[in-house]
Amino acid sequence: GIQVEQSPPDLILQEGANSTLRCNFSDSVNNLQWFHQNPWGQLINLFYIPSGTKQNGRLSATTVATERYSLLYISSSQTTDSGVYFCAVGWMTGANNLFFGTGTRLTVIP
Amino acid sequence: GAGVSQSPSNKVTEKGKDVELRCDPISGHTALYWYRQRLGQGLEFLIYFQGNSAPDKSGLPSDRFSAERTGESVSTLTIQRTQQEDSAVYLCASSSLTGQETQYFGPGTRLLVL
């Protein structure tokens, strides 16, 4: 499979701070997704971003496929951003299994 | 329904028993996936179904695990002769093939094998 490494493994932020989460992967991919798993275990898709840059509110993501990494930016963090952020990659653009990293656990304190 | 649903939400069983987990994907989604998440870990791929194609079973950890899907709807994941190491959250996801194969996850089934 594809090896996916995420950093940092844990992150504690003061509310309002900004952060950058990183995802490195070991092979060329055509599918990359970022997910947020809330404290109740629900996984929510944040971005489908095999390449380029996307923004959605306070979140944005950039994938540099040729260098095999992706970054997730969180600006003006809020306590509701707490949870685990997963990066997942796949070889194909079609339906295919995703290889997940071990996640970054984010805690935002008021 | 509006999202992916899974049942039961929690299951406690004794070692050696069989269990069946159910997933209802988003209506119209042709692809369906099963993953396993052990406590504090990332997700491990188990199996995926795509339309009428043969399923990709490459992630199933042993022959005690099997899954079926009826057409493009409900799927069941069966674990036979459960072991304590099978304890985990089993997550189901579905996706469409519209060009962005975003996977939408259900709430999971928390399985505890005593």
Side-chain angles (χ1 to χ4, degrees):
Chain A
I2 305 173
Q3 304 304 308
V4 183
E5 294 182 355
Q6 292 187 243
S7 59
D10 293 278
L11 185 58
I12 300 176
L13 294 177
Q14 196 78 42
E15 197 168 26
N18 303 327
S19 62
T20 302
L21 283 57
R22 186 175 179 105
C23 171
N24 293 333
F25 41 94
S26 63
D27 202 353
S28 298
V29 300
N30 288 297
N31 190 329
L32 188 147
Q33 302 183 32
W34 282 97
F35 294 89
H36 175 224
Q37 188 168 42
N38 66 24
W40 296 270
Q42 179 67 53
L43 273 161
I44 303 295
N45 187 284
L46 299 175
F47 293 103
Y48 172 84
I49 185 166
S51 63
T53 297
K54 289 186 177 179
Q55 179 153 10
N56 184 2
R58 296 181 297 102
L59 302 181
S60 63
T62 295
T63 298
V64 183
T66 53
E67 297 186 23
R68 301 182 184 174
Y69 74 89
S70 183
L71 303 173
L72 178 69
Y73 305 97
I74 305 174
S75 64
S76 305
S77 58
Q78 301 177 357
T79 56
T80 51
D81 295 332
S82 296
V84 183
Y85 289 80
F86 289 105
C87 170
V89 302
W91 279 303
M92 298 182 290
T93 56
N96 66 137
N97 58 297
L98 295 177
F99 296 93
F100 279 73
T102 52
T104 291
R105 181 172 297 277
L106 175 65
T107 303
V108 181
I109 54 177
Chain B
V4 178
S5 60
Q6 293 186 245
S7 61
S9 52
N10 294 281
K11 177 71 176 179
V12 181
T13 191
E14 294 179 348
K15 178 181 173 181
K17 301 278 189 180
D18 298 350
V19 295
E20 272 193 5
L21 312 180
R22 177 186 169 108
C23 172
D24 282 272
I26 293 172
S27 178
H29 279 190
T30 57
L32 185 148
Y33 314 78
W34 283 98
Y35 294 89
R36 177 171 70 180
Q37 186 177 29
R38 291 197 165 110
L39 187 64
Q41 304 292 314
L43 276 71
E44 302 171 69
F45 165 75
L46 297 177
I47 185 171
Y48 91 85
F49 299 87
Q50 168 49 30
N52 295 319
S53 302
D56 178 347
K57 304 180 181 181
S58 59
L60 294 178
S62 78
D63 59 7
R64 296 186 295 105
F65 288 72
S66 62
E68 292 184 349
R69 187 179 186 193
T70 306
E72 294 185 352
S73 60
V74 171
S75 176
T76 55
L77 177 69
T78 301
I79 308 173
Q80 296 178 308
R81 305 182 301 283
T82 52
Q83 304 293 312
Q84 288 182 333
E85 62 262 28
D86 298 335
S87 297
V89 177
Y90 289 83
L91 291 152
C92 175
S94 70
S95 69
S96 63
L97 294 180
T98 59
Q100 290 198 1
E101 286 72 30
T102 301
Q103 294 191 15
Y104 297 89
F105 280 81
T109 292
R110 285 155 184 77
L111 175 65
L112 177 61
V113 182
L114 301 176

